[in-house]
Amino acid sequence: MPATSVLLTPRAAAFELFGIRFFEDDADRDAEAVIVDPQPYSAEIVTNATGDLDSAIRNASMLVADQEEPASGAAGLLAKARGDYRRITAALYGEGYYGGTVNILVGGVEAASLAPDVNLPDPIAVQVIVNPGPEFRFNRLAIVNQAPPTDDPADHVDPPVTLGYATGQVARSGVVIRAEGVALEAWRQQGYAKAEIVSREVVADHATNTVDVTITVAPGRPARFGSIQVQGTEHMDPAFVARQTGLVEGQEYDPDDLVLAQKRLDRLEVFRAARLSAAETISPNGLLPYTLIVQEQPLRRFGVGANFSTVDGLGVEAYHLWRNLFGQAERLRLDARVAGIGFPVETEEFDYFFGGTFTKPGIFTPDTDLVTTVSAERTVLDSYTETSAGGRVGLTHVFSDHITAEGGALFEVSRFDDDFGTRDFMIAGAYGGITFDNRDNPLDATEGFYASALIEPFYEFNYGNPAARAVIEGRTYFGFGETDNVVLAARVRAGALIGPDLDEIPPDRLFFAGGGGSVRGYAFKSIGVDGPGDTVTGGRYLLEGSLEARVRVTGDIGVVGFVDGGYVAADTFPGLEDLRLGAGIGVRYDTGLGPLRADLAFPLNKRDGDPDYAIYLGIGQAF
């Protein structure tokens, strides 16, 4: 039985198959460009298709999608019709239907037979009549020069059969395109950077409703990374930029290394754009040179922010960032914050913070940064007043997209006024932590996990005591529905401190709970250990958690219901008999950069002095 190619009815219209446009001439394009008086019209689709095929056809028709807006005269309407011929035909191929016909009737006349300058009634009725025909399935399939299997798991690429490129499967055109992609990727993962598709033969047999496909790959030669030439730098050191990619001349080509290089460049936070471009050919010695084209961002940036709660008052903050101080992406960020602003205004109750962070990327490896921070602050809480200054110096290393570790040394001097009197502390110690984060969006996650662990051993010199503090935290997110319109989020945090008596430990090293990022409905750091009288001090142990149900009502607006709980203990790990609970509702407005947050929370087992309710305003989800 002879095989036949797929034809479009009527043949005069252009159409697209596997990314190739057929029967398109200059008149098609010229007609689309003509703009004359508006031509109102109504359009409907007539088809016996059902399910996904019906949806694909209707989604492909611009005549139907745009019918609320008049076309640009008769020529514009006919140009839109010609576009529908090829779009709907491509949609049929995409679902495995190669024997279908598409007729577009404008006022009862086939659109392809009408001249662009025809006079049409105002408005005009348009019918898009689609007969999908039979479903086609793959028959004989071949990939010529397919990559050999590899024993390296990092180079493994799932075979095309996993995409549906197999005999008996529905012959969707997109499957062929994806099969080509994985055929090329399999070669590239094994070092063949210039592998390409040299031919594609697709034959539809209308007698058997089957499709035969032959894809031919030319793998080319194996390649190794060559030199990297940097273009576009103004203030950056080109040699440093090339080094930060992590690509080493002579190293075997691997597309995964290029992806990692791009991420390293993005982490520098100095480029508006950065693009690696390979040379056209591999050199005779097997090296493939690259050109890195960059566009630098402005050297300076500043920002402001604010948050508010009815129990903790207003907080305002600002920062100033200097990029690329010495030509190797060094960053200096200064932060200032004033919080606890209430009414009436009492400046002696304000909290103040000023600090600076210096980051030097590329210490030892492209994935290791030197981070130094210094800060001074004054914090006024019901439980204590703190005046302190300190700093940290350490390294941050990125192990992968999801795992980051940090470690270094810390120093702090402080004075506290609380129920134990006025006490001075001086501590020195170390810190180390690791973070796992595979959330889809840290500011508004709908899926994934976040986990962190931090330990800080330190020595307090004034009282001569060693101590250690540890905190672990986990968060998880589950989205429901096709667009994750409903998200369930959970958070748990636990901490422990080993050391001397409470009166010989700096209060900022003890644990408190309460506030917008902890147990909502209670004042910031108001949940602790009951001290003498009605006082509250910090504790050695912390356990707190939150549950949220986030529901998106419209594209930009969402509502949230939540419950928080927290407990602080003095000498034993928390039990649940005195767990402080808060619950409430909130509203979210999506700004595109992150949601604006407004929460109304109520303490469920309030104590004397706790508020009846609390309102929190901020940017980003609570966790």
Side-chain angles (χ1 to χ4, degrees), residues 396-470:
T396 299
H397 185 80
V398 178
F399 286 98
S400 70
D401 290 344
H402 305 311
I403 301 176
T404 304
E406 61 176 342
L410 59 89
F411 178 80
E412 182 180 293
V413 292
S414 57
R415 169 169 290 180
F416 290 88
D417 294 296
D418 58 11
D419 295 323
F420 294 109
T422 299
R423 295 170 297 157
D424 294 326
F425 297 94
M426 181 171 64
I427 68 171
Y431 68 93
I434 188 167
T435 299
F436 174 85
D437 188 353
N438 70 347
R439 293 173 294 177
D440 57 343
N441 180 354
L443 290 179
D444 192 9
T446 61
E447 63 180 8
F449 299 90
Y450 172 93
S452 67
L454 178 66
I455 185 169
E456 294 183 353
F458 61 89
Y459 185 83
E460 201 289 308
F461 290 92
N462 287 352
Y463 292 90
N465 294 317
R469 187 178 192 267

Side-chain angles (χ1 to χ4, degrees), residues 493-559:
R493 184 170 181 257
L497 186 144
I498 301 173
D501 294 337
L502 297 183
D503 60 348
E504 295 184 359
I505 300 175
D508 65 337
R509 291 297 191 270
L510 296 173
F511 292 103
F512 293 86
S518 178
V519 184
R520 284 163 284 189
Y522 298 83
F524 180 63
K525 287 189 175 183
S526 65
I527 301 173
V529 176
D530 292 336
D534 296 329
T535 62
V536 175
T537 66
R540 294 182 186 275
Y541 301 99
L542 167 73
L543 181 63
E544 65 179 26
S546 300
L547 290 173
E548 283 196 352
R550 304 168 182 172
V551 180
R552 187 179 295 272
V553 180
T554 68
D556 297 327
I557 299 175
V559 295

